[in-house]
Every structure is written in C-alpha cells, then in structure tokens.
Amino acid sequence: MNPVSWANCLGLLSVFAIGAIGEVAADSGRNLLVDEVRAANNRFKDVSAAVAEGYAPIPCASGVDGGAMGVHYVNAKYLKDETVDIKRPQAVMYEPASDGKMALVAVEYITFKGPAALEGQLFNFTGAPNRYGLDPFYELHVWAWKPNPRGTFADMHPDVTCAHATAHGK
C-alpha cells in the first residue's frame, strides 16, 4: 500500500473511531444518571421500604393523552429540602398491578428553587395552579425501572396504567 492510500485509510479509521467513542460517551452520559438513580433507590422496589421512610401515597396520576405516572408515594419532609439529593427523591412512583402488588417504575425529584438540575439534567417547571395544589415547582421524573419510550425524563409513560389503582384504595 502506498503512503497516500495508507494515510487515507488511517484518516478514515480515525473518523470511525472518533464517532464510535462519541456514541459510547453519549450513551454513557445518557444512562449514567439512570444508573446512579437506580443504585441509590433500589431499596424502594419494596413499597414497604418507602412507607417506612415516611412516604405516603397520593392517587394514581394519568395523562389526558394516554399513559400515566402511577401512584406517587410522597415524602412531605423531603419537599421542604432546598437541595436535591439523589438518594432522597421527593416521590417514588409505582404502577399498581391486578394482583395488588406495586411495581417500582420511577422516582421524582421536586424542588421549589430553580432553575434546577441533577447531574446536569434540567428539571421541568410546573406552574400553579396544578393538580397537586403546590406552589410553582421544578420536577424531574427518572424512569429508572421501566424504560419510557417517550424518554427517560418524560412526565407520562404510555405503558403505565392506573387501571388497578382501585385495588390499592387510591
């Protein structure tokens, strides 16, 4: 192979390598927060752990365009926190199943100070009045246990349902 062909080939390989590294970095960056959230909050797979830590249920939240967020277990004490702590989400979200079990699907971080971010991921702003009766706030859903086709940080999940929430008295 002549030097010009060799240089062209090496240049082409460099472009592919840089592209592959960029994709891996993008995937790692996108999934890193989800992995951290999951590791920090796996204890909530059992809803009794959430209750033991002071979380209480509010009714199942569903969307007008389909899908739902599930039953939120909210820790009112954590709503008063001025800083966001990955290990202390303000809400833990469960999908009620027909057998009465609650499946952990996501967590929600809420703060009244903003704009807010967690590990570089910006929170969404929710004005008042809102369905929760809260002052304006910033929130971030992290669908760490049930991948959301609308996005990891979307509000509603099209495959989550409140159909069995009545079995939980909510």
Side-chain angles (χ1 to χ4, degrees):
M1 185 179 283
N2 70 37
V4 173
S5 295
W6 176 254
N8 286 339
C9 193
L10 187 59
L12 189 56
L13 286 173
S14 298
V15 169
F16 285 129
I18 290 169
I21 290 168
E23 287 178 24
V24 169
D27 285 346
S28 296
R30 185 180 71 229
N31 294 326
L32 184 59
L33 179 56
V34 173
D35 293 342
E36 288 179 28
V37 166
R38 191 179 303 116
N41 296 291
N42 258 340
R43 67 190 184 280
F44 295 125
K45 282 186 172 182
D46 183 343
V47 70
S48 65
V51 172
E53 288 189 34
Y55 290 84
I58 62 172
C60 196
S62 58
V64 294
D65 63 344
M69 291 185 230
V71 176
H72 287 61
Y73 277 69
V74 178
N75 189 313
K77 179 179 151 189
Y78 294 164
L79 284 174
K80 297 174 186 172
D81 290 349
E82 291 194 10
T83 59
V84 176
D85 182 340
I86 199 165
K87 295 177 184 176
R88 294 173 29 152
Q90 284 67 28
V92 185
M93 298 157 49
Y94 296 90
E95 181 175 20
S98 61
D99 65 0
K101 293 182 180 175
M102 298 289 267
L104 178 62
V105 292
V107 295
E108 181 177 7
Y109 297 95
I110 300 168
T111 183
F112 296 95
K113 294 197 176 247
L118 179 62
E119 303 286 332
Q121 178 63 45
L122 294 176
F123 284 40
N124 295 310
F125 176 74
T126 300
N130 53 64
R131 70 167 107 199
Y132 309 107
L134 296 174
D135 289 335
F137 63 94
Y138 296 85
E139 54 85 17
L140 178 68
H141 290 100
V142 183
W143 295 94
W145 294 269
K146 185 166 186 166
N148 189 338
R150 290 185 182 161
T152 302
F153 308 109
D155 279 344
M156 296 289 171
H157 192 304
D159 301 325
V160 169
T161 179
C162 290
H164 305 293
T166 56
H168 304 278
K170 310 291 176 267

